Amino acid sequence: MTVKHLLLEYNKLNEQGTFTSGDILSGRVIVVTSKETKVQRFSVKAKGKAEVTWTDQNGQTTVVHRDKKKYFYFEHIILQDKNKGDGSEIIGPGRNVYPFTFVIPNVDMPSCYEGKWGKITYSLRAQLTQSIWLVHKTKTEFPFLTKSEFPFASKSEIIIIGLKEQQYATSILFLGSGKVTMNVMSEKMGLKQGEAMGVSVEVLNNSARTVTPKFYLCEKQTFVAQSKRIIHTNDILFGTGHSVSAETSRTITSVLSIPPQLPPTFFNCSMMKLEYRLKVILDVPLARDPEIKLPLVILSGSPKPHQQKPEIHVV
């Protein structure tokens, strides 16, 4: 084992270390050897891809649904045996550094993402082959952000127009002792990662029961492979508002903070997409809880400070 270490490094372009379409991706492969080493092939590759996999059980048969899409693939050959297998290319003893440079294609590609049954990855791989039995490999992934400002609106400008508009919805529940009306209003539809938004819930409780609003962030992941589709949903509890007693009315105003690490909404991948909703449930004892869902688009970027002073704060 004359090859002691095989390392792969890339140069960051910004403080976040992220890359996007059209950027130059450069770095170096470092090989540390104990003595002069012959190699058959030595290369570094850059790859961007999306892949989806899930299984269905059909009786005794397991059906695998799988698909993948390659966004780009580049290879830079550092050393290659000129005589087809005699190991004539030489790496000197000690620390050897080999630079590389790739240009990421300037086309629309989705950001890195990992969901329930699929992921989008961008990676660098180095491989040093001494013989058919002795191959050294190393890999590192680099964070990629889409260049598209609105990766969720490729087919509809209505979504873009509505990002800053207030959202309204009403739900009415009829009980034996009366009815309960819930009106929900959110400040806007589009929010940046880590941003806070005010949500008002007006409850007109003309019944004999005490009701309580609860706030949820609904995540919907959709995966497509070979014309088949599967959906994974997840509800994140934001918090619980003040209860509204029987035969009373009340408006509860809450501030809901989007987790900063939450992946942004995206539609610009043919095999998967990520959507969100704001869900408000009215907890009614011994009855089916009414709920309201409002559209919510999570945008990439740093949030601005929230100005509204709420009655309660829900974290």
Side-chain angles (χ1 to χ4, degrees):
M1 296 292 291
T2 59
V3 176
K4 297 300 181 182
H5 299 287
L6 179 62
L7 307 173
L8 190 54
E9 300 175 348
Y10 62 84
N11 302 320
K12 294 184 179 181
L13 298 182
N14 50 52
E15 291 183 1
Q16 294 75 31
T18 58
F19 293 83
T20 190
S21 302
D23 281 348
I24 295 176
L25 175 62
S26 62
R28 64 210 61 83
V29 185
I30 302 169
V31 185
V32 180
T33 61
S34 59
K35 64 179 182 178
E36 187 176 272
T37 302
K38 294 182 178 182
V39 300
Q40 290 184 0
R41 199 169 191 273
F42 184 20
S43 66
V44 59
K45 304 172 184 178
K47 182 188 293 186
K49 66 176 182 178
E51 53 187 337
V52 169
T53 304
W54 78 88
T55 58
D56 285 335
Q57 200 68 32
N58 187 4
Q60 299 297 318
T61 305
T62 300
V63 181
V64 180
H65 303 280
R66 180 182 292 115
D67 202 355
K68 62 182 178 179
K69 178 180 177 63
K70 189 183 297 181
Y71 293 109
F72 62 83
Y73 176 85
F74 301 113
E75 182 179 27
H76 170 61
I77 298 174
I78 299 171
L79 295 172
Q80 183 163 301
D81 182 1
K82 295 182 176 66
N83 298 313
K84 299 182 180 179
D86 68 353
S88 60
E89 294 300 325
I90 304 298
I91 295 179
R95 187 176 187 268
N96 300 268
V97 180
Y98 300 92
F100 62 83
T101 298
F102 298 108
V103 179
I104 300 174
N106 194 13
V107 296
D108 181 31
M109 294 180 286
S111 300
C112 296
Y113 175 71
E114 184 166 359
K116 179 71 173 179
W117 291 293
K119 59 183 179 179
I120 303 166
T121 57
Y122 298 85
S123 62
L124 287 164
R125 301 168 185 259
Q127 180 171 314
L128 190 156
T129 303
Q130 291 183 259
S131 68
I132 192 173
W133 301 282
L134 192 56
V135 180
H136 307 273
K137 299 179 181 180
T138 186
K139 171 188 174 183
T140 184
E141 294 184 1
F142 58 91
F144 181 89
L145 293 179
T146 182
K147 206 169 188 177
S148 173
E149 185 179 1
F150 304 110
F152 47 82
S154 58
K155 298 181 180 179
S156 175
E157 293 185 358
I158 297 177
I159 297 179
I160 300 175
I161 296 171
L163 289 177
K164 297 182 179 180
E165 299 295 324
Q166 292 182 335
Q167 310 294 312
Y168 298 90
T170 297
S171 177
I172 300 175
L173 174 66
F174 291 95
L175 302 169
S177 59
K179 72 174 182 178
V180 180
T181 303
M182 176 173 62
N183 300 311
V184 177
M185 186 276 290
S186 65
E187 285 185 334
K188 52 188 175 180
M189 182 170 65
L191 288 154
K192 292 185 178 181
Q193 296 164 301
E195 189 173 358
M197 174 181 67
V199 178
S200 294
V201 181
E202 181 187 28
V203 179
L204 309 175
N205 186 6
N206 297 316
S207 76
R209 306 181 192 184
T210 297
V211 299
T212 306
K214 293 183 177 179
F215 303 88
Y216 292 86
L217 174 66
C218 302
E219 178 187 31
K220 180 182 178 182
Q221 304 174 15
T222 303
F223 304 91
V224 179
Q226 302 166 349
S227 300
K228 300 293 184 181
R229 186 177 72 160
I230 189 170
I231 293 174
H232 172 70
T233 59
N234 181 38
D235 287 358
I236 303 169
L237 178 63
F238 270 136
T240 302
H242 292 303
S243 297
V244 182
S245 303
E247 301 296 340
T248 62
S249 300
R250 187 171 189 174
T251 299
I252 300 101
T253 303
S254 304
V255 169
L256 309 181
S257 298
I258 302 300
Q261 74 280 5
L262 202 68
T265 303
F266 71 89
F267 292 173
N268 62 338
C269 176
S270 60
M271 293 186 298
M272 63 189 87
K273 64 180 179 180
L274 178 63
E275 303 169 83
Y276 296 98
R277 296 287 188 274
L278 168 65
K279 181 168 71 174
V280 181
I281 292 179
L282 201 58
D283 188 358
V284 182
L286 304 176
R288 183 178 179 180
D289 297 338
E291 67 177 48
I292 287 176
K293 288 185 179 181
L294 295 176
L296 190 62
V297 175
I298 307 301
L299 306 167
S300 178
S302 301
K304 294 181 180 179
H306 189 264
Q307 302 297 322
Q308 180 177 333
K309 295 181 179 180
E311 291 181 11
I312 62 172
H313 183 79
V314 181
V315 179

